[in-house]
Amino acid sequence: GFSWKLKDHPKLAKGKTIAMIVLDGWGEAKPNQYNCIHVAETPTMDSLKNGAPDKWRLVKAHGKAVGLPTDDDMGNSEVGHNALGAGRIYAQGAKLVDSALDTGKIYDGEGFNYIKASFESGTLHLIGLLSDGGVHSRLNQLQLLLKGASERGAKRIRVHVLTDGRDVLDGTSVAYVETLEEDLAKLRENGVDAQIASGGGRMYVTMDRYENDWEVVKRGWDAQVLGEAPYKFKSAVEAVKKLREIPNTSDQYLPPFVIVDDSGKSVGPIVDGDAVVTFNFRADRMSMVAQALEYEKFDKFDRVRFPKIRYAGMLQYDGELKLPNHYLVSPPEMERTSGEYLVHNGVRTFACSETVKFGHVTFFWNGNRSGYFNADMEEYVEIPSDSGITFNVKPKMKALQIGEKARDAILSGKFDQVRVNLPNSDMVGHTGDIDATVVACKAADEAVKMILDAIEQVGGIYVVTADHGNAEDMVKRNKKGEPLLDKNGNIQILTSHTLEPVPIAIGGPGLAAGVKFRKDVPNGGLANVAATVMNLHGFVAPDDYETTLIEVVDV
Ligand code: 3PG
Ligand code: CO
């Protein structure tokens, strides 16, 4: 029968303290002025790269290697941390939704049939991120869902859009809204009363994560449910164009707006008897709004009204909380993750990041599962992030504090694995502010140094890697790799992640002399890291895990 017990590694000892460091958004790319990691002073990461050649390598962090539909899909933190923690490659939300729509299975499922019961007398509301980014959602999936739902009886549809500019270029929101408006016009020609009802920028409206700032979700609630917002427009295209003219704003940060009819009344508040679908497949930034839509008991903000609706997520966002209860597509069944195995095998674990990435090294790492496997064996520490600012204003973020917490955990001797996520290169990279991103990369490097110093002191082992690229390339490029210019001759800033591979380095005084990276896993990706770390803890990984990246040669 099944057993959690892992086999002992034939050559590697147990009991070493391992630091598992994930730099968020830290890829490997050609050195040039748009590579903030190259421009920044990063002596620690440089020394790992320029150190022993068999203890540093690159691994894939995008596309099929992390369960995304194609190799044109950039990596992201959800799929990256899932792969790192689960040690296997799962077809991820993006892909599962594609195939459910493709086969039409989505319409046979429990979730769709649940919301369908409201189509006769109620409105179908679709809330989500409007872009082709493919990280949280995809426009073509929304388009198919609109078509499929209307063919199956939805007579009144309202879309509540969240503009992107983070996983796609800033300024593209206008075109996405125009495209959606064309689709809705076609539906209207076919007798479906379909309209955009509200909107706002993803970082300012609805899509907060890990409870950093409930005000973000409240702004969305007011617009989407109550039909109230500081800005009112007759058309969504006009709304987005006008709001983009506000100084210092961008697609990510557009204020909330509602669409109103000729009498000034909002066209699509959510009321009793309606159906609601949040059409993002990715979990972290939907979990809070899902709670607001689903939970009878709720005290995070005053909802004013709690309509009796039929609500379904595109996916179930949290398997442990069963949130939401109804969903259109089943999420990947990630089980037996490395964290769960290690806890069963006596590995005491400490995990830490600041709020904006806290769930990455806990929830995502553990297969989109919240909470501890065994609270006696694990400690998760969250350092509060700054809220209400864009991170280019304070690019050092909480790197130093994360470094200190990790250092203290290592020196305490209470843990066998100390795992952190350092968010700087990603969170600041997403702002598109190149100078601030350089500062961010330096801060992350300093935190790595603190942790490596602690590992040195206790005779431990370090594993340093990243979840996907971001800060190593801050400009949109053509197929030849040349920077693209806009119509004013300025470079087009790339706020999104990239397709680049990420580094992985191992070392520390506790690393046995013969350990090195194997040469026969040239296509290794993030999913190979879990088995590697299990080995370093003195165990052989389960058979169905992706193979280890290391070998132990006799010396
Ligand atoms: C975000 O949610 O901030 C971006 O869409 C993706 O960033 P992450 O995958 O690094 O969290
Ligand atoms: Co990111």
Side-chain angles (χ1 to χ4, degrees):
F2 170 75
S3 162
W4 284 108
K5 180 104 190 65
L6 293 170
K7 284 198 203 94
D8 293 337
H9 193 280
K11 293 182 179 169
L12 294 173
K14 298 189 176 41
K16 307 280 181 198
T17 307
I18 298 184
M20 175 74 235
I21 304 172
V22 182
L23 292 145
D24 213 292
W26 188 289
E28 177 74 11
K30 286 193 194 117
N32 60 49
Q33 61 181 311
Y34 304 115
N35 180 337
C36 293
I37 295 168
H38 164 71
V39 174
E41 259 175 65
T42 54
T44 307
M45 291 302 288
D46 292 349
S47 73
L48 299 182
K49 183 175 172 182
N50 301 324
D54 54 11
K55 297 194 175 57
W56 185 97
R57 63 165 288 172
L58 296 173
V59 283
K60 290 188 177 173
H62 81 288
K64 294 181 178 171
V66 286
L68 292 170
T70 75
D71 282 339
D72 293 330
D73 292 304
M74 62 197 175
N76 70 70
S77 290
E78 180 178 50
V79 301
H81 285 79
N82 284 168
L84 284 166
R88 284 147 294 163
I89 301 165
Y90 288 90
Q92 286 286 351
K95 197 166 164 181
L96 298 172
V97 173
D98 280 346
S99 65
L101 284 163
D102 210 39
T103 57
K105 277 218 173 93
I106 196 167
Y107 305 114
D108 301 332
E110 188 277 336
F112 188 80
N113 282 295
Y114 172 70
I115 57 161
K116 199 173 150 190
S118 297
F119 289 179
E120 192 57 39
S121 54
T123 301
L124 168 63
H125 298 265
L126 301 169
I127 303 174
L129 183 65
L130 186 71
S131 83
D132 279 332
V135 173
H136 294 270
S137 67
R138 213 179 319 105
L139 173 66
N140 70 326
Q141 295 178 348
L142 170 64
Q143 292 173 310
L144 288 169
L145 189 60
L146 279 167
K147 186 164 173 288
S150 59
E151 285 167 4
R152 288 165 183 81
K155 294 183 192 122
R156 193 165 184 273
I157 302 178
R158 293 293 179 265
V159 189
H160 303 266
V161 301
L162 301 165
T163 54
D164 191 345
R166 184 173 178 91
D167 299 326
V168 293
L169 295 187
D170 182 47
T172 53
S173 61
V174 180
Y176 290 119
V177 172
E178 282 169 350
T179 305
L180 177 61
E181 285 290 18
E182 284 166 26
D183 288 337
L184 297 174
K186 274 186 213 130
L187 290 180
R188 288 195 294 273
E189 279 167 26
N190 293 327
V192 180
D193 170 10
Q195 251 183 292
I196 294 176
S198 78
R202 56 173 287 176
M203 295 301 283
Y204 194 63
V205 177
T206 300
M207 281 174 60
D208 188 44
R209 65 179 165 206
Y210 308 142
E211 307 203 28
N212 192 43
D213 185 2
W214 276 100
E215 277 300 304
V216 174
V217 185
K218 178 178 168 9
R219 280 181 208 113
W221 183 271
D222 291 352
Q224 296 143 5
V225 178
L226 307 180
E228 290 165 11
Y231 295 93
K232 298 180 171 59
F233 290 92
K234 293 266 178 64
S235 111
V237 175
E238 188 200 340
V240 171
K241 283 187 179 162
K242 277 270 150 46
L243 294 174
R244 278 188 54 79
E245 287 169 14
I246 299 173
N248 293 322
T249 197
S250 59
D251 289 353
Q252 299 188 52
Y253 288 96
L254 292 189
F257 62 88
V258 291
I259 303 301
V260 293
D261 61 19
D262 291 336
S263 66
K265 250 181 71 193
S266 87
V267 301
I270 300 175
V271 299
D272 286 356
D274 286 351
V276 177
V277 171
T278 46
F279 63 82
N280 289 14
F281 43 74
R282 173 160 154 175
D284 57 346
R285 294 191 185 276
M286 283 289 105
S287 172
M288 292 164 76
V289 63
Q291 291 173 42
L293 288 165
E294 180 133 313
Y295 289 165
E296 185 82 44
K297 267 181 132 174
F298 178 87
D299 58 7
K300 305 302 182 182
F301 59 84
D302 181 5
R303 290 182 293 193
V304 183
R305 233 173 9 87
F306 180 52
K308 290 189 184 57
I309 54 170
R310 288 172 174 266
Y311 165 51
M314 181 65 103
L315 257 70
Q316 185 168 61
Y317 302 123
D318 189 320
E320 197 64 15
L321 302 178
K322 305 260 175 286
L323 179 74
N325 224 322
H326 300 273
Y327 46 93
L328 305 187
V329 177
S330 296
E333 280 175 45
M334 292 175 276
E335 21 109 82
R336 295 183 300 103
T337 59
S338 62
E340 191 164 13
Y341 267 112
L342 289 173
V343 162
H344 279 282
N345 285 272
V347 173
R348 300 159 303 166
T349 304
F350 178 90
C352 174
S353 188
E354 62 172 277
T355 311
V356 292
K357 297 284 182 183
F358 175 66
H360 287 36
V361 272
T362 56
F363 174 77
F364 285 157
W365 191 275
N366 294 335
N368 292 7
R369 183 186 186 284
S370 46
Y372 292 114
F373 295 112
N374 177 349
D376 296 335
M377 299 284 294
E378 297 167 274
E379 186 177 339
Y380 298 168
V381 172
E382 174 183 349
I383 296 168
S385 287
D386 292 315
S387 64
I389 59 159
T390 58
F391 287 103
N392 56 332
V393 179
K394 289 190 178 168
K396 294 184 182 172
M397 301 180 67
K398 304 295 178 205
L400 182 70
Q401 292 86 334
I402 296 169
E404 284 170 351
K405 279 273 185 269
R407 177 198 62 199
D408 294 348
I410 291 165
L411 298 182
S412 75
K414 290 198 306 208
F415 301 100
D416 305 294
Q417 182 178 122
V418 171
R419 182 165 78 228
V420 299
N421 176 298
L422 296 169
N424 307 63
S425 39
D426 184 65
M427 293 302 287
V428 187
H430 279 305
T431 68
D433 182 333
I434 291 181
D435 292 338
T437 306
V438 170
V439 178
C441 294
K442 180 164 189 264
D445 190 78
E446 285 165 0
V448 174
K449 167 110 174 52
M450 289 177 69
I451 300 169
L452 298 198
D453 284 350
I455 283 296
E456 189 69 35
Q457 275 190 55
V458 301
I461 299 172
Y462 59 77
V463 179
V464 185
T465 190
D467 61 342
H468 55 72
N470 184 337
E472 79 287 357
D473 198 8
M474 297 291 290
V475 68
K476 177 89 179 162
R477 297 175 185 280
N478 64 17
K479 287 228 168 68
K480 285 192 221 150
E482 300 155 345
L484 282 173
L485 304 182
D486 66 16
K487 50 181 187 295
N488 304 318
N490 300 316
I491 58 146
Q492 293 194 32
I493 296 283
L494 190 74
T495 52
S496 73
H497 300 167
T498 69
L499 304 171
E500 301 294 352
V502 298
I504 178 168
I506 51 171
L511 191 69
V515 174
K516 56 178 195 167
F517 283 130
R518 295 159 58 175
K519 288 267 185 291
D520 58 348
V521 198
N523 290 318
L526 293 177
N528 297 89
V529 175
T532 308
V533 174
M534 282 174 161
N535 292 168
L536 296 173
H537 278 298
F539 299 103
V540 176
D543 288 342
D544 63 341
Y545 270 46
E546 293 294 322
T547 189
T548 180
L549 296 170
I550 56 170
E551 61 184 347
V552 190
V553 296
D554 294 328
V555 284

